[in-house]
Amino acid sequence: MKSVISLGFELCVCVCVCARARVFGGEGARSPGLTLCCGPGFQALVLTALLVGLGVLVGLPLGALTEMLLPLAFVATLTAFVFSLLLYLKALIAPASALAPGGNSGNPIYDFFLGRELNPRIGSFDFKYFCELRPGLIAWVLINLALLVQEAELRGSPSLAMWLVNGFQLLYVGDALWHEEAVLTTMDITHDGFGFMLAFGDLVWVPFTYSLQAQFLLYHPQPLELPMASALCLMNAVGFYIFRAANSQKNTFRKNPSDPRVADLETIPTATGRQLLVSGWWGMVRHPNYLGDLIMALAWSLPCGEWLGLVQGGAARVWHRDGLVATGYPVWVWRTGALQWRQQPGNRRWTRDVAGPTSVPASPHWPLLQLPDLSPSPDAPTSHQVYKPL
């Protein structure tokens, strides 16, 4: 079993290096001309599935993987630590232009955790881009499948709840790898360095915690009637639609703001020279992509009879991204800082009547972030006027 997992990881690398590659230009470049070259991630998922399928046909005990999750998680954590240490040592000789904005503090522990180099690479192989999705997501699907097989061996057939959890999460993973290019416009790529935080998240947190629903169902089977299953399918479909539509709109805008699909959307010009979307999906709710994420996560968790943990985790991610965006785009804070609710339709709209306090204090949900005084001027624009950079 360990050899199969190792072969799956090596297969991902081979697909990225040897497959017919596509060259992507990304916002991850802090200097013009940085490109990421890699074969399609969905291809790695399909080839890994074929490899595992062949293994099962020749007698591979896939269900035995469920008994190895704890030692595998330990090995993955150790791997992430050693990998991060090597990345930190590599960053010590990297040019200043290659360093991440937040991981170059001079504090070794802090920089090791956040990542000192923005896009560590050897040749055209980008370590952060490769690890961002492929190993963790494919391992997540593999663990889920092993749990499903183990339940079939224990009880004769997988439960309806186990089928739903596997199906919902496979759709999520397949979509992420199919649209792998879109990761180039995310803050993980454009802002965060590649250190222990991301390495642990990619290689450990994703596969071993995102599979908790399937792990729970193996040891605590839950009855699920067909009407409830149908409602969960509808909920997941709604969440997936919001998630995919919002992310596609954001990615299209970041790649080409003149694209006809997004050219008419309202934006805020910022002091950095970039534009921020404030209409379309991004005018209805502050984080529409995370809203879709939370709806899907709720559909994944309700078959287990629990949901609070996923809401807390989703809220933490929203607050983390709020802090990062506020640091780079003060005008975004000025537009949203006086509003109390985040995942609420319409909370991005600024008018004189809902301006609230005349200044925005330090963010209560991000205590380490000290925001500047953003008192609106007497001629502060309404939602129907052109926004000027601060």
Side-chain angles (χ1 to χ4, degrees), residues 134-207:
R134 301 186 185 202
L137 293 186
I138 293 176
W140 174 15
V141 170
L142 182 59
I143 291 172
N144 275 357
L145 179 60
L147 292 162
L148 184 145
V149 170
Q150 181 71 358
E151 185 178 44
E153 294 175 355
L154 291 176
R155 303 188 179 96
S157 64
S159 64
L160 178 56
M162 180 68 82
W163 278 115
L164 285 184
V165 167
N166 269 259
F168 292 163
Q169 296 181 352
L170 178 61
L171 173 65
Y172 183 87
V173 170
D175 173 77
L177 294 174
W178 183 265
H179 296 96
E180 187 182 29
E181 179 186 353
V183 78
L184 296 176
T185 63
T186 63
M187 295 190 73
D188 283 357
I189 295 293
T190 63
H191 181 274
D192 297 338
F194 192 32
F196 183 74
M197 180 182 72
L198 281 182
F200 178 84
D202 295 339
L203 303 178
V204 184
W205 184 261
V206 169

Side-chain angles (χ1 to χ4, degrees), residues 322-359:
D322 278 4
L324 292 179
V325 175
T327 303
Y329 304 104
V331 68
W332 182 85
V333 182
W334 170 59
R335 184 177 173 92
T336 63
L339 301 167
Q340 299 301 313
W341 297 99
R342 284 166 175 75
Q343 294 294 3
Q344 175 184 357
N347 73 346
R348 294 293 300 276
R349 190 63 62 184
W350 171 276
T351 65
R352 294 179 187 273
D353 295 335
V354 297
T358 58
S359 64

Side-chain angles (χ1 to χ4, degrees), residues 263-276:
D264 295 333
L265 296 179
E266 181 186 359
T267 62
I268 298 177
T270 71
T272 66
R274 296 180 61 186
Q275 302 283 327
L276 295 181

Side-chain angles (χ1 to χ4, degrees), residues 3-236:
S3 61
V4 171
I5 296 172
S6 176
L7 283 174
F9 184 83
E10 292 169 4
L11 180 62
C12 290
V13 176
C14 290
V15 168
C16 193
V17 175
C18 303
R20 184 173 62 86
R22 298 177 294 175
V23 178
F24 305 136
E27 288 190 18
R30 297 187 64 205
S31 58
L34 173 66
T35 55
L36 299 180
C37 180
C38 206
F42 191 79
Q43 184 176 343
L45 175 64
V46 172
L47 291 179
T48 303
L50 291 176
L51 174 67
V52 173
L54 290 175
V56 171
L57 288 177
V58 299
L60 175 73
L62 185 60
L65 176 62
T66 60
E67 302 173 2
M68 302 166 54
L69 292 182
L70 186 58
L72 285 173
F74 174 79
V75 171
T77 302
L78 183 61
T79 301
F81 179 83
V82 174
F83 184 36
S84 302
L85 182 60
L86 294 175
L87 290 174
Y88 178 80
L89 295 176
K90 178 182 180 298
L92 294 178
I93 59 174
S97 60
L99 301 182
N104 189 26
S105 67
N107 184 321
I109 297 178
Y110 182 86
D111 294 344
F112 167 81
F113 183 78
L114 286 187
R116 196 164 186 268
E117 192 173 357
L118 184 63
N119 293 103
R121 54 173 50 205
I122 295 178
S124 63
F125 186 86
D126 189 286
F127 290 102
K128 183 168 69 170
Y129 176 72
F130 169 76
C131 292
E132 182 71 16
L133 295 180
R134 301 186 185 202
L137 293 186
I138 293 176
W140 174 15
V141 170
L142 182 59
I143 291 172
N144 275 357
L145 179 60
L147 292 162
L148 184 145
V149 170
Q150 181 71 358
E151 185 178 44
E153 294 175 355
L154 291 176
R155 303 188 179 96
S157 64
S159 64
L160 178 56
M162 180 68 82
W163 278 115
L164 285 184
V165 167
N166 269 259
F168 292 163
Q169 296 181 352
L170 178 61
L171 173 65
Y172 183 87
V173 170
D175 173 77
L177 294 174
W178 183 265
H179 296 96
E180 187 182 29
E181 179 186 353
V183 78
L184 296 176
T185 63
T186 63
M187 295 190 73
D188 283 357
I189 295 293
T190 63
H191 181 274
D192 297 338
F194 192 32
F196 183 74
M197 180 182 72
L198 281 182
F200 178 84
D202 295 339
L203 303 178
V204 184
W205 184 261
V206 169
F208 294 102
T209 66
Y210 284 28
S211 59
L212 282 177
Q213 288 94 347
Q215 294 180 46
F216 178 88
L217 290 173
L218 175 63
Y219 300 106
H220 306 278
Q222 302 292 313
L224 187 63
E225 300 297 331
L226 189 59
M228 178 58 70
S230 301
L232 291 175
C233 289
L234 178 61
M235 178 184 296
N236 190 75

